[in-house]
Amino acid sequence: MAAAATNPRTPPKPAMRDSLIAAAFQLFLERGYEQTTVDDIVTLAGVGRRSFFRYFPSKEDVVFPDHEQCLDDMTRFLAASADTDDPMVRVCDAARLVMRMYAENPTFSVQRYRLTREVAGLRTYELSVVWRYEKTLGDYLRGRWADRKDGTLRANVAAAAVVAAHNHALRHWLRSGGEGDQLAEVDRALEFVRATWSPDAPAGTGGDAAEGADDVVVVITKRSTPMWRVVREVESSLDES
Amino acid sequence: MAAAATNPRTPPKPAMRDSLIAAAFQLFLERGYEQTTVDDIVTLAGVGRRSFFRYFPSKEDVVFPDHEQCLDDMTRFLAASADTDDPMVRVCDAARLVMRMYAENPTFSVQRYRLTREVAGLRTYELSVVWRYEKTLGDYLRGRWADRKDGTLRANVAAAAVVAAHNHALRHWLRSGGEGDQLAEVDRALEFVRATWSPDAPAGTGGDAAEGADDVVVVITKRSTPMWRVVREVESSLDES
């Protein structure tokens, strides 16, 4: 909404929004989350209640101030994907945007992680955010695999796997107090998932993939099925591409 | 807690609990979830408020009355696993317990699904239940794969994938109004995940392999593999049993 934003990807954050976040976290850490009211936050920040609700629909939202922006960035990043990009490489790169958001401010991320462990309502809120990331990745994969017979199932499972791998690495880093190389850990975890469903794509390149021809075919059949029928099934899977 | 339960796995459900659930759903469908109070429910059921809260901590809990029991069943089922059981087969069988719970009462399950789509608070509640199933499966896999270098990562990713595959099949069935063979759909979805991380285990047998002859064979091959090699691979899979 900024009239003259210099960079459309990261609009300048209003100072008032930042001071509300800072005031909220100061109080959450001093008194606890449940014991802090929106009135306490606006008093400390020196602004009115309406200013708070202009930026945050609820007290919970001030705990996770950057996810909406990150979800927007992820959606845009996936929409800008080319047909030649390997879909698994693309969703792994999209997940890295989330890790990068956390890594931008390690102290804040670790404080929030500890707060979220303590307050059940915040954990539930976080689950709904995670679900939105998973849905965003799944929507993209469903589109890319729309021609596949098992496309929807594969997309749903792969999106969940990417989110689980990302969160595995993220939790590891947050538990360590934000120390160490969080990007190396997330690379390792995402590489595990990418290799599972896209074993031949070049890792972490954003999909410069002429070798799509070497895709994997999964055939599920019963032991009692005659061999000629299995062969026919494999052939028709090959034709699908 | 029942003093003389005849079957420890499925304790008899008190009639009062059932009539509270029936009254709640009647009102949710007639007036909507938000417009129904706990007082309305207990009035229709002809019991006191305290009876409601003896069975359900909140109004949300009456919408999902069987998940606690199902989580207990799943935990017990996984704890009873033998070291010789394939871990992926076991978690897929554990996920089938959830599908079976939904399938026991299709009308109720479909009504609840529609309600959950409409009420944001119930969707969030459902996400937290799903997370508990995922954690239960993940705990088991982490234990079974404790010796592996990538055991924790693999367990977290595989648990998320099993849940996603299960929910894919479940949603498909619920959207169809509870028609069709929900178990065939969940078998197909779980088989996809099982084959991903445990390609050599016999499918869906839970180790009791009398029907090995009509077992499922999964062949994973590359598109570029010559057909003669695929045939040889299928043949050698058949010989393994």
Side-chain angles (χ1 to χ4, degrees):
Chain A
M1 301 298 250
T6 48
N7 178 347
R9 290 216 49 221
T10 45
K13 285 179 193 162
M16 192 189 286
R17 186 173 183 275
D18 283 349
S19 42
L20 283 165
I21 298 168
F25 268 80
Q26 186 183 323
L27 293 169
F28 294 160
L29 294 173
E30 280 172 17
R31 314 183 180 175
Y33 175 80
E34 307 284 15
Q35 289 74 43
T36 301
T37 65
V38 170
D39 283 330
D40 297 336
I41 297 168
V42 297
T43 303
L44 182 60
V47 302
R49 265 178 82 83
R50 272 171 60 191
S51 301
F52 182 92
F53 290 108
R54 198 193 317 162
Y55 295 111
F56 307 106
S58 72
K59 191 173 81 170
E60 284 171 349
D61 291 284
V62 77
V63 181
F64 304 93
D66 298 322
H67 279 301
E68 291 302 329
Q69 179 67 47
C70 193
L71 274 157
D72 279 357
D73 288 349
M74 181 184 275
T75 305
R76 250 197 311 270
F77 175 77
L78 293 170
S81 165
D83 287 351
T84 47
D85 290 336
D86 180 89
M88 284 305 297
V89 173
R90 194 78 184 176
V91 288
C92 288
D93 285 345
R96 283 187 182 87
L97 296 174
V98 186
M99 189 71 208
R100 235 169 268 149
M101 175 193 68
Y102 280 84
E104 265 175 22
N105 198 339
T107 309
F108 177 68
S109 296
V110 171
Q111 284 173 350
R112 174 170 62 190
Y113 175 70
R114 290 178 184 154
L115 198 61
T116 309
R117 295 310 92 184
E118 286 162 18
V119 183
L122 294 180
R123 237 179 3 249
T124 315
Y125 185 102
E126 199 177 41
L127 286 174
S128 70
V129 173
V130 170
W131 179 81
R132 289 172 67 197
Y133 284 117
E134 185 173 324
K135 187 175 176 314
T136 304
L137 299 176
D139 286 346
Y140 168 77
L141 288 176
R142 277 188 292 276
R144 290 297 307 271
W145 290 335
D147 292 342
R148 296 185 73 124
K149 215 175 126 191
D150 65 352
T152 308
L153 170 61
R154 177 178 283 254
N156 293 344
V157 170
V162 168
V163 167
H166 172 275
N167 288 348
H168 169 88
L170 175 60
R171 270 196 309 272
H172 182 90
W173 179 69
L174 292 171
R175 277 196 201 123
S176 79
E179 306 275 319
D181 184 356
Q182 78 289 350
L183 292 177
E185 187 68 20
V186 84
D187 282 349
R188 193 180 73 88
L190 290 173
E191 180 54 20
F192 174 79
V193 174
R194 188 202 59 71
T196 301
W197 283 294
S198 183
D200 298 314
T205 60
D208 171 20
E211 57 252 68
D214 227 2
D215 214 345
V216 164
V217 177
V218 179
V219 177
I220 301 176
T221 184
K222 292 198 169 181
R223 290 196 188 279
S224 55
T225 307
M227 187 58 70
W228 63 267
R229 207 189 275 273
V230 176
V231 169
R232 190 181 286 176
E233 182 120 0
V234 173
E235 282 173 339
S236 74
S237 298
L238 290 169
D239 288 344
E240 268 174 27
S241 68
Chain B
M1 300 299 247
T6 48
N7 179 347
R9 288 215 53 221
T10 46
K13 285 180 193 162
M16 192 188 287
R17 186 173 182 277
D18 283 349
S19 42
L20 282 164
I21 298 167
F25 268 80
Q26 187 184 321
L27 293 169
F28 295 160
L29 295 173
E30 280 172 16
R31 313 181 180 177
Y33 175 80
E34 306 284 14
Q35 289 74 41
T36 302
T37 65
V38 169
D39 283 330
D40 297 334
I41 298 168
V42 297
T43 303
L44 181 62
V47 302
R49 265 179 82 84
R50 273 173 58 193
S51 301
F52 182 92
F53 290 108
R54 199 192 319 157
Y55 295 112
F56 307 105
S58 72
K59 191 173 81 170
E60 283 170 350
D61 292 283
V62 76
V63 180
F64 305 93
D66 298 321
H67 279 302
E68 290 302 328
Q69 180 66 48
C70 193
L71 275 157
D72 279 357
D73 288 349
M74 181 184 275
T75 304
R76 251 197 310 270
F77 175 78
L78 292 170
S81 165
D83 286 351
T84 47
D85 291 333
D86 179 88
M88 283 306 296
V89 172
R90 195 78 184 176
V91 289
C92 288
D93 285 345
R96 284 187 181 88
L97 296 173
V98 186
M99 189 71 208
R100 235 170 266 149
M101 176 193 69
Y102 279 85
E104 264 176 21
N105 198 339
T107 309
F108 177 68
S109 295
V110 171
Q111 283 173 351
R112 174 170 62 190
Y113 175 71
R114 290 177 185 155
L115 199 61
T116 309
R117 292 312 91 182
E118 285 162 18
V119 183
L122 295 179
R123 234 175 10 243
T124 315
Y125 185 102
E126 199 177 42
L127 286 175
S128 70
V129 173
V130 169
W131 179 81
R132 289 172 68 197
Y133 284 117
E134 186 172 323
K135 187 175 178 315
T136 304
L137 299 175
D139 286 345
Y140 168 77
L141 288 176
R142 277 188 291 276
R144 290 297 306 273
W145 290 336
D147 292 343
R148 298 183 72 124
K149 212 177 130 199
D150 64 353
T152 308
L153 170 61
R154 177 178 285 255
N156 293 344
V157 170
V162 168
V163 166
H166 172 275
N167 287 348
H168 168 88
L170 176 60
R171 270 196 309 272
H172 182 89
W173 180 69
L174 291 170
R175 276 197 202 124
S176 77
E179 307 274 319
D181 183 356
Q182 78 289 351
L183 293 177
E185 187 68 20
V186 84
D187 282 349
R188 192 179 75 88
L190 291 173
E191 179 54 20
F192 174 80
V193 174
R194 188 200 60 71
T196 301
W197 283 294
S198 183
D200 298 318
T205 61
D208 167 21
E211 63 255 60
D214 216 8
D215 214 345
V216 166
V217 177
V218 179
V219 179
I220 301 178
T221 184
K222 292 191 173 182
R223 290 196 188 280
S224 56
T225 308
M227 189 56 72
W228 63 267
R229 204 190 276 273
V230 176
V231 170
R232 189 183 288 176
E233 183 130 353
V234 174
E235 282 172 342
S236 74
S237 298
L238 291 169
D239 287 345
E240 268 172 26
S241 69

